[in-house]
């Protein structure tokens, strides 16, 4: 269970949101919405433990995520705007390295299977810098499939994907939640049909 209580954030001098409270249980899927600059990425980064809230707290189960530390990071996949890929490495080596650094080393078969599911079987050994934007996004998404983690925090995951890949990703999110995972994602796009029944959380500009 992920719970947020009385959360407030500001960037620079600008308050973004305050008194944000929410509880998410196994199977919940949240579409985080709002205008550009309202604070969606900021909220996802807070939930990923990458930045600290101005006020309030975030709990995983019964414990504050700040006290859980690595134990919490091992529960989540955070996919940011930047795909966190090393340009000179291949999708295969990126996935191998990311899994190793995260403490969940993967064998060759598991890496190839994940890359094949995201449609990169033929590109798995090419340097990432030579891939298209959509292929880079697919390489980043392979992390979700390669290692099972209950919490997915996805910032604009559909951007750069073609229609078929958007539907596939919608299916993976749906499957993840049906299996008891929690997903929170931002998107300004029309959502694929495969997305499960979702909760909409709309942030609004603070006056
Ligand atoms: N590193 C930073 N330093 C100062 N202000 C920042 C920083 N990063 C973001 N901001 C500001 O914080 C506000 C919220 O940014 P954020 O990226 O969370 O918005 P968003 O809702 O995700 O927007 P978008 O829909 O455009 O992706 C914006 O006004 C932005 O200018």
């Amino acid at each position: 269970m992920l719970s947020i209580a009385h959360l407030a954030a500001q960037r620079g001098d600008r308050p973004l949101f305050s008194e944000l409270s929410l509880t998410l249980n196994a199977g919940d899927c949240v579409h985080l919405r709002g205008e550009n600059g309202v604070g969606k990425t900021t909220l996802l980064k807070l939930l990923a433990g990458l930045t600290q809230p101005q006020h309030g707290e975030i709990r995983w189960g019964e414990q504050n995520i700040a006290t859980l530390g690595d134990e919490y990071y091992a529960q989540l996949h955070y996919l940011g705007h930047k795909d966190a890929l090393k340009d000179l490495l291949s999708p295969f080596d990126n996935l191998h390295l990311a899994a190793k650094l995260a403490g969940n080393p993967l064998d060759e078969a598991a890496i190839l299977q994940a890359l094949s599911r995201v449609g990169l079987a033929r590109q798995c050994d090419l340097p990432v810098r030579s891939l298209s934007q959509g292929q880079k996004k697919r390489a980043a998404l392979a992390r979700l499939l390669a290692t099972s983690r209950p919490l997915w925090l996805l910032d604009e995951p559909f951007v750069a994907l073609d229609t078929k890949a958007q539907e596939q990703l919608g299916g993976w999110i749906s499957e993840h939640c049906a299996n008891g995972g929690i997903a929170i994602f931002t998107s300004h796009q029309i959502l694929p049909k495969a997305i499960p029944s979702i909760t909409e959380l709309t942030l609004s500009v603070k006056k």
Side-chain angles (χ1 to χ4, degrees):
M1 184 182 78
L2 181 72
S3 57
I4 302 168
H6 310 291
L7 202 65
Q10 76 176 57
R11 298 307 294 258
D13 290 338
R14 198 181 144 215
L16 294 176
F17 50 80
S18 60
E19 288 301 322
L20 184 65
S21 296
L22 182 71
T23 297
L24 298 177
N25 293 301
D28 283 343
C29 180
V30 177
H31 179 194
L32 183 56
R33 304 185 61 184
E35 295 171 15
N36 291 136
V38 79
K40 301 178 298 297
T41 294
T42 303
L43 177 56
L44 286 184
K45 285 185 175 171
L46 285 168
L47 295 177
L50 297 173
T51 53
Q52 300 308 311
Q54 189 191 8
H55 293 295
E57 72 169 350
I58 303 165
R59 285 175 172 260
W60 179 251
E62 295 303 314
Q63 274 183 275
N64 190 307
I65 63 169
T67 57
L68 281 171
D70 287 348
E71 211 181 310
Y72 176 63
Y73 302 134
Q75 304 298 314
L76 66 90
H77 280 302
Y78 169 73
L79 194 75
H81 275 296
K82 292 183 187 153
D83 290 326
L85 297 165
K86 302 222 175 293
D87 251 12
L88 296 176
L89 298 183
S90 65
F92 184 100
D93 288 339
N94 265 284
L95 192 48
H96 180 255
L97 184 66
K100 197 171 163 189
L101 290 176
N104 291 115
L106 294 168
D107 63 24
E108 187 177 330
I111 295 174
L112 290 176
Q113 191 190 29
L115 291 172
S116 172
R117 285 185 73 193
V118 298
L120 289 183
R122 283 195 299 132
Q123 293 82 8
C124 68
D125 289 325
L126 296 177
V128 159
R129 68 176 173 190
S130 70
L131 301 183
S132 72
Q133 288 306 313
Q135 288 169 334
K136 286 180 186 172
K137 180 67 86 179
R138 287 165 183 244
L141 288 168
R143 277 191 283 141
L144 302 180
L145 305 179
T147 312
S148 172
R149 293 187 169 184
L151 178 60
W152 288 6
L153 304 170
L154 313 175
D155 205 351
E156 294 289 346
F158 299 103
V159 165
L161 295 180
D162 61 37
T163 310
K164 187 175 160 206
Q166 288 182 35
E167 285 297 338
Q168 271 182 320
L169 174 57
W172 295 329
I173 293 174
S174 175
E175 199 178 296
H176 173 67
C177 294
N179 289 333
I182 296 174
I184 308 172
F185 64 91
T186 65
S187 179
H188 291 291
Q189 297 174 237
I190 294 171
L191 299 182
K193 294 186 196 73
I195 286 280
S197 64
I198 53 173
T199 303
E200 291 201 344
L201 173 62
T202 304
L203 298 182
S204 50
V205 178
K206 201 165 163 61
K207 306 282 183 222

